[in-house]
Amino acid sequence: MEAGKLLEVLHLAERLKDTTRHCYTSSGRHESVAEHSWRISFMAYLVKDEFPEADMDKVICMCLIHDLGEAFTGDIPVFQKTAQDSEREKELLSAWVSGLPEPFASEMKELYREMEERQTIEAKIYKAMDSLEAVIQHNESDISTWEMHEYDLNLTYADDKVDFSDYLKSLREMIRQETLAKIERGK
């Protein structure tokens, strides 16, 4: 990638450092989209031995780019995001990706298509990491930051995303037990 274009892309990606998510960190500040993307990428790296049949480099790439559209729209929590919000984000991101030089434009378009269809093992792993990380982060935040509906949501969110893997179902259950313990403690 030509150096000027690289800087342009990096400047856009920097927006994700300042784009906050609904969730809080354990220290009490809003988590950024960039922090979320980093941690799901790290999660994917750490579970690579559990999925020897998967191209984990592809999974990590999916994790890294999955929320780039939020550089244009901001983060809208899953329980508030409408179909119109999703479509707007997709359109803005698609226009931006189309302006990237090759091979990046084609590669990213293919990754986004695969992520949306969620049929490959790689796309399923990425989506599971994305969803599980959100629940883990909620468990790490102070319970006073939770909205009432999140008590139930934290107990069920991502269940459907881990169905394909015994390992991830086991991890999800451990996270659920952390949620129950947190609710029980009330903090």
Side-chain angles (χ1 to χ4, degrees):
M1 184 177 291
E2 185 269 323
K5 187 64 173 181
L6 175 62
L7 280 175
E8 181 184 316
V9 169
L10 292 176
H11 291 321
L12 177 100
E14 190 272 342
R15 292 181 195 172
L16 297 181
K17 291 181 178 184
D18 287 326
T19 302
T20 57
R21 290 171 50 85
H22 166 72
C23 196
Y24 290 81
T25 66
S26 59
S27 68
R29 67 171 175 74
H30 274 285
E31 172 191 35
S32 75
V33 173
E35 291 167 319
H36 165 71
S37 295
W38 171 80
R39 187 150 84 162
I40 70 169
S41 302
F42 188 52
M43 289 170 66
Y45 168 72
L46 293 174
V47 301
K48 68 182 180 178
D49 290 346
E50 300 298 329
F51 300 98
E53 73 282 15
D55 178 349
M56 293 306 282
D57 288 339
K58 180 189 273 191
V59 174
I60 292 169
C61 286
M62 289 175 171
C63 292
L64 287 170
I65 69 167
H66 84 286
D67 275 342
L68 274 174
E70 294 181 7
F72 303 103
T73 63
D75 176 67
I76 302 169
V78 68
F79 51 85
Q80 293 177 342
K81 198 170 208 173
T82 66
Q84 183 178 355
D85 293 330
S86 295
E87 189 57 36
R88 179 173 177 268
E89 181 179 315
K90 185 177 177 181
E91 287 172 7
L92 292 168
L93 178 63
S94 179
W96 180 78
V97 169
S98 293
L100 292 173
E102 290 298 338
F104 302 100
S106 295
E107 288 174 3
M108 287 178 73
K109 285 177 189 176
E110 176 57 25
L111 286 170
Y112 283 119
R113 182 200 59 73
E114 188 174 333
M115 291 159 63
E116 187 173 329
E117 291 176 358
R118 219 176 310 145
Q119 296 300 309
T120 64
I121 186 72
E122 290 83 8
K124 290 176 183 179
I125 295 168
Y126 132 73
K127 192 58 182 176
M129 298 295 105
D130 183 30
S131 299
L132 290 172
E133 196 282 335
V135 181
I136 292 167
Q137 189 60 57
H138 269 79
N139 283 347
E140 292 170 341
S141 67
D142 191 286
I143 202 163
S144 68
T145 65
W146 292 20
E147 295 178 10
M148 287 309 297
H149 64 93
E150 290 176 310
Y151 286 78
D152 289 333
L153 186 61
N154 247 38
L155 293 171
T156 60
Y157 191 65
D159 286 352
D160 58 330
K161 309 299 188 310
V162 300
D163 279 346
F164 71 98
S165 164
D166 288 339
Y167 174 79
L168 292 176
K169 286 190 278 190
S170 173
L171 176 60
R172 177 62 185 104
E173 186 53 37
M174 292 177 81
I175 296 166
R176 187 180 345 276
Q177 293 308 312
E178 284 188 347
T179 299
L180 288 168
K182 183 172 195 77
I183 292 170
E184 181 68 27
R185 286 190 314 272
K187 56 180 180 167

